[in-house]
Structure formats: C-alpha cells, structure tokens
Amino acid sequence: MPKLRSTEPSRPHARLETWIWILIYGGLFAFILGFATARTDAALGWSIATPGAIAAAVGVVLLYVRSRFKDDRK
C-alpha cells in the first residue's frame, strides 16, 4: 500500500506559519485596542495602534512569502 503524504507542513514551515498567525492576530488586537484607547488619549492610542497595524501587515506579507515556497515534501 503506498504511503500517503502528511498534510502537516515541515518543521521550518510550521514555525513560520505559527509566527504568521501570531503577527496577524496580535497585530489586529493591538490595533483595535489602540484605536479604542485613542478616544480618551490620542497619543497613547496611536502609539499602540501603529505598531499593531505594522505587525499585522508584516504577517500578511509573510503569508504571501510562505505561499511562494516550494513544497519540499516527497
């Protein structure tokens, strides 16, 4: 009987995918938290929201980069 390929990514890819989702969800959470905080303290709110938006954007870029990797499983 032939061996079936696993659907799990290889170890380096799995680590990258973990960081991708941490950056996306963590960045979006920080952005929303900063946006809500900006109602009472504008400087503090935007100093929280800006890095959050940047982290989410980096996560999306890494998601694109990961999609361009060749699948090295055989």
Side-chain angles (χ1 to χ4, degrees), residues 2-74:
K3 283 188 172 184
L4 297 176
R5 292 189 336 178
S6 173
T7 59
E8 294 181 20
S10 63
R11 182 126 172 98
H13 293 175
R15 188 174 303 136
L16 177 62
E17 287 180 9
T18 300
W19 276 105
I20 287 169
W21 295 113
I22 288 172
L23 285 169
I24 290 174
Y25 286 121
L28 289 175
F29 178 73
F31 176 75
I32 291 169
L33 183 66
F35 194 72
T37 305
R39 292 181 171 191
T40 57
D41 187 0
L44 177 63
W46 289 111
S47 66
I48 295 171
T50 302
I54 291 170
V58 168
V60 169
V61 168
L62 286 176
L63 188 65
Y64 173 76
V65 169
R66 170 61 182 101
S67 74
R68 308 313 293 165
F69 282 172
K70 293 200 183 296
D71 195 13
D72 57 354
R73 287 180 279 153
K74 292 190 179 197

